[in-house]
Short mmCIF file of all heavy atoms in Angstrom, two decimals:
data_model
loop_
_atom_site.label_atom_id
_atom_site.label_comp_id
_atom_site.label_asym_id
_atom_site.label_seq_id
_atom_site.Cartn_x
_atom_site.Cartn_y
_atom_site.Cartn_z
N LYS A 1089 186.04 -52.31 -257.59
CA LYS A 1089 186.81 -51.84 -258.75
C LYS A 1089 185.98 -51.72 -259.94
O LYS A 1089 185.15 -52.66 -260.25
CB LYS A 1089 188.03 -52.75 -258.99
CG LYS A 1089 189.13 -52.66 -257.95
CD LYS A 1089 189.87 -51.31 -258.03
CE LYS A 1089 191.00 -51.28 -257.03
NZ LYS A 1089 191.67 -49.91 -257.08
N GLN A 1090 186.04 -50.62 -260.70
CA GLN A 1090 185.31 -50.42 -261.90
C GLN A 1090 186.33 -50.28 -263.08
O GLN A 1090 187.43 -49.92 -262.86
CB GLN A 1090 184.45 -49.20 -261.83
CG GLN A 1090 183.46 -49.17 -260.66
CD GLN A 1090 182.80 -47.87 -260.49
OE1 GLN A 1090 182.88 -46.94 -261.33
NE2 GLN A 1090 182.11 -47.67 -259.37
N PRO A 1091 185.81 -50.62 -264.29
CA PRO A 1091 186.76 -50.38 -265.46
C PRO A 1091 187.18 -48.92 -265.49
O PRO A 1091 186.33 -48.02 -265.47
CB PRO A 1091 185.86 -50.75 -266.63
CG PRO A 1091 184.77 -51.64 -266.08
CD PRO A 1091 184.57 -51.15 -264.66
N LYS A 1092 188.46 -48.73 -265.56
CA LYS A 1092 189.01 -47.37 -265.50
C LYS A 1092 188.82 -46.72 -266.85
O LYS A 1092 189.05 -47.20 -267.92
CB LYS A 1092 190.49 -47.37 -265.18
CG LYS A 1092 190.75 -47.56 -263.73
CD LYS A 1092 192.21 -47.21 -263.36
CE LYS A 1092 192.46 -47.31 -261.90
NZ LYS A 1092 193.82 -46.87 -261.51
N LYS A 1093 188.28 -45.44 -266.79
CA LYS A 1093 188.14 -44.65 -268.02
C LYS A 1093 189.39 -43.67 -268.04
O LYS A 1093 190.08 -43.49 -267.08
CB LYS A 1093 186.83 -43.83 -267.90
CG LYS A 1093 185.60 -44.65 -267.82
CD LYS A 1093 184.34 -43.80 -267.81
CE LYS A 1093 183.09 -44.69 -267.77
NZ LYS A 1093 181.85 -43.84 -267.66
N LYS A 1094 189.53 -43.02 -269.20
CA LYS A 1094 190.52 -41.99 -269.29
C LYS A 1094 190.14 -40.82 -268.39
O LYS A 1094 188.94 -40.50 -268.23
CB LYS A 1094 190.64 -41.56 -270.76
CG LYS A 1094 191.27 -42.61 -271.69
CD LYS A 1094 191.43 -42.09 -273.12
CE LYS A 1094 192.02 -43.19 -273.99
NZ LYS A 1094 192.10 -42.72 -275.42
N LEU A 1095 191.20 -40.12 -267.99
CA LEU A 1095 190.92 -39.00 -267.12
C LEU A 1095 190.06 -37.92 -267.80
O LEU A 1095 189.13 -37.36 -267.18
CB LEU A 1095 192.23 -38.38 -266.63
CG LEU A 1095 193.11 -39.20 -265.67
CD1 LEU A 1095 194.42 -38.51 -265.39
CD2 LEU A 1095 192.31 -39.37 -264.31
N LYS A 1096 190.32 -37.73 -269.11
CA LYS A 1096 189.50 -36.79 -269.84
C LYS A 1096 188.02 -37.16 -269.84
O LYS A 1096 187.13 -36.35 -269.69
CB LYS A 1096 190.02 -36.68 -271.26
CG LYS A 1096 189.32 -35.60 -272.12
CD LYS A 1096 189.93 -35.53 -273.51
CE LYS A 1096 189.20 -34.55 -274.37
NZ LYS A 1096 189.85 -34.45 -275.73
N SER A 1097 187.80 -38.44 -269.98
CA SER A 1097 186.38 -38.98 -269.99
C SER A 1097 185.75 -38.73 -268.66
O SER A 1097 184.52 -38.40 -268.55
CB SER A 1097 186.44 -40.48 -270.36
OG SER A 1097 186.82 -40.67 -271.61
N MET A 1098 186.54 -38.91 -267.53
CA MET A 1098 185.95 -38.69 -266.21
C MET A 1098 185.64 -37.31 -266.00
O MET A 1098 184.60 -36.91 -265.31
CB MET A 1098 186.97 -39.17 -265.13
CG MET A 1098 187.17 -40.69 -265.06
SD MET A 1098 185.58 -41.58 -264.86
CE MET A 1098 184.88 -40.82 -263.45
N TYR A 1099 186.45 -36.38 -266.51
CA TYR A 1099 186.15 -34.94 -266.42
C TYR A 1099 184.85 -34.63 -267.07
O TYR A 1099 183.90 -33.96 -266.52
CB TYR A 1099 187.25 -34.09 -267.00
CG TYR A 1099 186.91 -32.58 -267.02
CD1 TYR A 1099 187.14 -31.74 -265.98
CD2 TYR A 1099 186.35 -32.06 -268.26
CE1 TYR A 1099 186.73 -30.42 -266.05
CE2 TYR A 1099 186.03 -30.66 -268.30
CZ TYR A 1099 186.18 -29.91 -267.21
OH TYR A 1099 185.84 -28.60 -267.23
N TRP A 1100 184.71 -35.09 -268.32
CA TRP A 1100 183.46 -34.78 -269.08
C TRP A 1100 182.24 -35.43 -268.51
O TRP A 1100 181.12 -34.96 -268.61
CB TRP A 1100 183.66 -35.12 -270.55
CG TRP A 1100 184.52 -34.16 -271.23
CD1 TRP A 1100 185.76 -34.32 -271.73
CD2 TRP A 1100 184.30 -32.78 -271.47
NE1 TRP A 1100 186.32 -33.14 -272.28
CE2 TRP A 1100 185.35 -32.18 -272.14
CE3 TRP A 1100 183.14 -31.92 -271.15
CZ2 TRP A 1100 185.38 -30.81 -272.51
CZ3 TRP A 1100 183.18 -30.58 -271.54
CH2 TRP A 1100 184.25 -30.09 -272.21
N GLN A 1101 182.45 -36.63 -267.93
CA GLN A 1101 181.32 -37.26 -267.26
C GLN A 1101 180.85 -36.42 -266.09
O GLN A 1101 179.57 -36.24 -265.88
CB GLN A 1101 181.74 -38.66 -266.72
CG GLN A 1101 180.58 -39.39 -266.06
CD GLN A 1101 180.92 -40.79 -265.67
OE1 GLN A 1101 181.95 -41.37 -266.11
NE2 GLN A 1101 180.05 -41.42 -264.89
N GLY A 1102 181.82 -35.89 -265.29
CA GLY A 1102 181.38 -35.08 -264.13
C GLY A 1102 180.72 -33.75 -264.63
O GLY A 1102 179.67 -33.35 -264.12
N PHE A 1103 181.33 -33.15 -265.64
CA PHE A 1103 180.77 -31.92 -266.21
C PHE A 1103 179.36 -32.17 -266.76
O PHE A 1103 178.43 -31.36 -266.49
CB PHE A 1103 181.70 -31.45 -267.33
CG PHE A 1103 181.22 -30.21 -268.03
CD1 PHE A 1103 181.55 -28.95 -267.45
CD2 PHE A 1103 180.49 -30.23 -269.13
CE1 PHE A 1103 181.16 -27.75 -268.06
CE2 PHE A 1103 180.11 -29.05 -269.78
CZ PHE A 1103 180.39 -27.82 -269.18
N THR A 1104 179.17 -33.27 -267.50
CA THR A 1104 177.87 -33.52 -268.08
C THR A 1104 176.78 -33.85 -267.03
O THR A 1104 175.62 -33.41 -267.13
CB THR A 1104 177.99 -34.72 -269.08
OG1 THR A 1104 178.99 -34.40 -270.08
CG2 THR A 1104 176.62 -34.96 -269.78
N MET A 1105 177.16 -34.61 -266.05
CA MET A 1105 176.28 -34.93 -264.90
C MET A 1105 175.78 -33.62 -264.26
O MET A 1105 174.58 -33.55 -263.98
CB MET A 1105 176.99 -35.73 -263.81
CG MET A 1105 177.11 -37.26 -264.12
SD MET A 1105 177.99 -38.02 -262.73
CE MET A 1105 176.97 -37.60 -261.37
N ASN A 1106 176.66 -32.71 -264.12
CA ASN A 1106 176.20 -31.46 -263.49
C ASN A 1106 175.38 -30.61 -264.36
O ASN A 1106 174.31 -30.11 -264.01
CB ASN A 1106 177.47 -30.63 -263.06
CG ASN A 1106 177.06 -29.35 -262.30
OD1 ASN A 1106 176.59 -28.38 -262.78
ND2 ASN A 1106 177.41 -29.42 -260.93
N VAL A 1107 175.83 -30.38 -265.62
CA VAL A 1107 175.19 -29.49 -266.53
C VAL A 1107 173.77 -30.00 -266.94
O VAL A 1107 172.74 -29.22 -267.01
CB VAL A 1107 175.96 -29.33 -267.86
CG1 VAL A 1107 175.15 -28.62 -268.95
CG2 VAL A 1107 177.23 -28.53 -267.49
N LEU A 1108 173.57 -31.29 -267.04
CA LEU A 1108 172.34 -31.85 -267.51
C LEU A 1108 171.34 -32.18 -266.31
O LEU A 1108 170.29 -32.78 -266.55
CB LEU A 1108 172.58 -33.21 -268.24
CG LEU A 1108 173.32 -33.05 -269.62
CD1 LEU A 1108 173.37 -34.34 -270.29
CD2 LEU A 1108 172.63 -31.99 -270.48
N ASN A 1109 171.73 -31.72 -265.14
CA ASN A 1109 170.86 -31.93 -264.02
C ASN A 1109 170.12 -30.65 -263.75
O ASN A 1109 170.64 -29.65 -263.16
CB ASN A 1109 171.68 -32.23 -262.71
CG ASN A 1109 170.86 -32.58 -261.56
OD1 ASN A 1109 169.62 -32.48 -261.59
ND2 ASN A 1109 171.49 -33.03 -260.46
N PRO A 1110 168.74 -30.63 -264.12
CA PRO A 1110 168.04 -29.37 -263.93
C PRO A 1110 167.80 -28.95 -262.44
O PRO A 1110 167.54 -27.80 -262.10
CB PRO A 1110 166.69 -29.67 -264.60
CG PRO A 1110 166.55 -31.17 -264.54
CD PRO A 1110 168.01 -31.66 -264.70
N LYS A 1111 167.97 -29.94 -261.54
CA LYS A 1111 167.78 -29.64 -260.14
C LYS A 1111 168.88 -28.70 -259.68
O LYS A 1111 168.64 -27.94 -258.68
CB LYS A 1111 167.92 -30.93 -259.35
CG LYS A 1111 166.69 -31.92 -259.56
CD LYS A 1111 166.80 -33.14 -258.71
CE LYS A 1111 165.61 -34.11 -258.89
NZ LYS A 1111 165.73 -35.33 -258.14
N VAL A 1112 170.08 -28.66 -260.31
CA VAL A 1112 171.12 -27.77 -259.89
C VAL A 1112 170.69 -26.29 -260.20
O VAL A 1112 170.85 -25.40 -259.37
CB VAL A 1112 172.46 -28.08 -260.53
CG1 VAL A 1112 173.58 -27.11 -260.18
CG2 VAL A 1112 172.89 -29.51 -260.28
N THR A 1113 170.15 -26.12 -261.43
CA THR A 1113 169.60 -24.74 -261.75
C THR A 1113 168.59 -24.32 -260.79
O THR A 1113 168.55 -23.15 -260.37
CB THR A 1113 169.11 -24.75 -263.21
OG1 THR A 1113 170.10 -25.13 -264.11
CG2 THR A 1113 168.59 -23.42 -263.61
N ILE A 1114 167.64 -25.19 -260.48
CA ILE A 1114 166.53 -24.81 -259.57
C ILE A 1114 167.10 -24.50 -258.22
O ILE A 1114 166.63 -23.58 -257.58
CB ILE A 1114 165.57 -26.05 -259.49
CG1 ILE A 1114 164.85 -26.28 -260.80
CG2 ILE A 1114 164.46 -25.73 -258.41
CD1 ILE A 1114 163.99 -27.50 -260.86
N PHE A 1115 168.12 -25.30 -257.76
CA PHE A 1115 168.77 -25.05 -256.43
C PHE A 1115 169.49 -23.66 -256.46
O PHE A 1115 169.36 -22.88 -255.52
CB PHE A 1115 169.76 -26.08 -256.02
CG PHE A 1115 170.41 -25.83 -254.76
CD1 PHE A 1115 169.74 -26.10 -253.62
CD2 PHE A 1115 171.64 -25.38 -254.70
CE1 PHE A 1115 170.33 -25.78 -252.34
CE2 PHE A 1115 172.32 -25.11 -253.50
CZ PHE A 1115 171.65 -25.33 -252.34
N PHE A 1116 170.16 -23.35 -257.51
CA PHE A 1116 170.82 -22.04 -257.67
C PHE A 1116 169.78 -20.94 -257.57
O PHE A 1116 170.04 -19.92 -256.94
CB PHE A 1116 171.59 -22.00 -258.88
CG PHE A 1116 172.98 -22.52 -258.82
CD1 PHE A 1116 173.31 -23.57 -257.96
CD2 PHE A 1116 174.04 -22.02 -259.58
CE1 PHE A 1116 174.60 -24.10 -257.89
CE2 PHE A 1116 175.35 -22.52 -259.51
CZ PHE A 1116 175.59 -23.60 -258.62
N LEU A 1117 168.65 -21.17 -258.22
CA LEU A 1117 167.60 -20.12 -258.27
C LEU A 1117 167.02 -19.95 -256.85
O LEU A 1117 166.62 -18.82 -256.49
CB LEU A 1117 166.46 -20.60 -259.20
CG LEU A 1117 165.23 -19.76 -259.30
CD1 LEU A 1117 165.59 -18.37 -259.88
CD2 LEU A 1117 164.20 -20.42 -260.21
N ALA A 1118 167.03 -21.01 -256.11
CA ALA A 1118 166.48 -20.93 -254.69
C ALA A 1118 167.50 -20.32 -253.76
O ALA A 1118 167.17 -19.65 -252.85
CB ALA A 1118 166.05 -22.30 -254.21
N PHE A 1119 168.77 -20.64 -253.96
CA PHE A 1119 169.85 -20.33 -253.05
C PHE A 1119 170.47 -18.94 -253.22
O PHE A 1119 170.66 -18.15 -252.29
CB PHE A 1119 170.85 -21.42 -253.11
CG PHE A 1119 172.05 -21.31 -252.16
CD1 PHE A 1119 171.84 -21.08 -250.82
CD2 PHE A 1119 173.34 -21.46 -252.63
CE1 PHE A 1119 172.88 -21.04 -249.95
CE2 PHE A 1119 174.44 -21.38 -251.74
CZ PHE A 1119 174.17 -21.17 -250.40
N PHE A 1120 170.81 -18.59 -254.45
CA PHE A 1120 171.59 -17.36 -254.69
C PHE A 1120 170.96 -16.07 -254.42
O PHE A 1120 171.53 -15.14 -253.87
CB PHE A 1120 172.18 -17.38 -256.14
CG PHE A 1120 173.45 -18.29 -256.29
CD1 PHE A 1120 173.59 -19.47 -255.55
CD2 PHE A 1120 174.31 -18.01 -257.30
CE1 PHE A 1120 174.69 -20.24 -255.71
CE2 PHE A 1120 175.46 -18.79 -257.46
CZ PHE A 1120 175.62 -19.94 -256.67
N PRO A 1121 169.66 -15.85 -254.87
CA PRO A 1121 169.10 -14.53 -254.69
C PRO A 1121 169.11 -13.87 -253.32
O PRO A 1121 169.21 -12.79 -253.06
CB PRO A 1121 167.68 -14.73 -255.23
CG PRO A 1121 167.76 -15.81 -256.18
CD PRO A 1121 168.77 -16.76 -255.53
N GLY A 1122 168.97 -14.77 -252.26
CA GLY A 1122 169.02 -14.30 -250.86
C GLY A 1122 170.36 -13.80 -250.43
O GLY A 1122 170.45 -13.23 -249.38
N PHE A 1123 171.46 -14.01 -251.24
CA PHE A 1123 172.77 -13.62 -250.83
C PHE A 1123 173.35 -12.54 -251.71
O PHE A 1123 174.58 -12.31 -251.69
CB PHE A 1123 173.69 -14.84 -250.81
CG PHE A 1123 173.34 -15.85 -249.69
CD1 PHE A 1123 172.55 -16.93 -249.96
CD2 PHE A 1123 173.89 -15.67 -248.42
CE1 PHE A 1123 172.26 -17.81 -248.91
CE2 PHE A 1123 173.58 -16.55 -247.42
CZ PHE A 1123 172.75 -17.65 -247.66
N LEU A 1124 172.53 -11.82 -252.47
CA LEU A 1124 172.98 -10.69 -253.18
C LEU A 1124 173.47 -9.65 -252.17
O LEU A 1124 172.77 -9.19 -251.34
CB LEU A 1124 171.95 -10.08 -254.08
CG LEU A 1124 171.48 -11.01 -255.22
CD1 LEU A 1124 170.34 -10.38 -256.03
CD2 LEU A 1124 172.64 -11.33 -256.12
N PHE A 1125 174.77 -9.25 -252.28
CA PHE A 1125 175.44 -8.54 -251.10
C PHE A 1125 175.79 -7.14 -251.30
O PHE A 1125 176.40 -6.48 -250.45
CB PHE A 1125 176.76 -9.38 -250.82
CG PHE A 1125 177.65 -9.48 -252.02
CD1 PHE A 1125 178.58 -8.49 -252.38
CD2 PHE A 1125 177.55 -10.64 -252.88
CE1 PHE A 1125 179.36 -8.58 -253.49
CE2 PHE A 1125 178.31 -10.65 -254.04
CZ PHE A 1125 179.22 -9.73 -254.34
N SER A 1126 175.40 -6.57 -252.53
CA SER A 1126 175.86 -5.23 -252.71
C SER A 1126 174.69 -4.39 -253.43
O SER A 1126 173.97 -4.97 -254.32
CB SER A 1126 177.08 -5.17 -253.65
OG SER A 1126 177.37 -3.86 -254.07
N LYS A 1127 174.50 -3.17 -253.05
CA LYS A 1127 173.51 -2.31 -253.73
C LYS A 1127 174.15 -1.52 -254.86
O LYS A 1127 173.42 -0.95 -255.65
CB LYS A 1127 172.97 -1.34 -252.64
CG LYS A 1127 172.25 -2.01 -251.56
CD LYS A 1127 171.28 -1.07 -250.86
CE LYS A 1127 170.57 -1.78 -249.74
NZ LYS A 1127 169.53 -2.74 -250.24
N SER A 1128 175.42 -1.45 -254.96
CA SER A 1128 176.05 -0.76 -256.05
C SER A 1128 176.46 -1.73 -257.24
O SER A 1128 176.33 -1.29 -258.38
CB SER A 1128 177.33 -0.09 -255.56
OG SER A 1128 178.28 -1.08 -255.03
#
Side-chain angles (χ1 to χ4, degrees):
K1089 289 289 182 183
Q1090 302 173 10
K1092 284 195 174 183
K1093 299 180 180 180
K1094 293 182 179 178
L1095 290 174
K1096 183 178 179 180
S1097 297
M1098 290 307 305
Y1099 172 85
W1100 285 113
Q1101 181 176 346
F1103 181 83
T1104 305
M1105 277 180 59
N1106 185 288
V1107 169
L1108 297 183
N1109 186 354
K1111 292 181 180 179
V1112 180
T1113 299
I1114 295 171
F1115 179 76
F1116 275 31
L1117 177 63
F1119 183 48
F1120 279 30
F1123 290 95
L1124 293 177
F1125 54 88
S1126 173
K1127 298 200 179 287
S1128 58

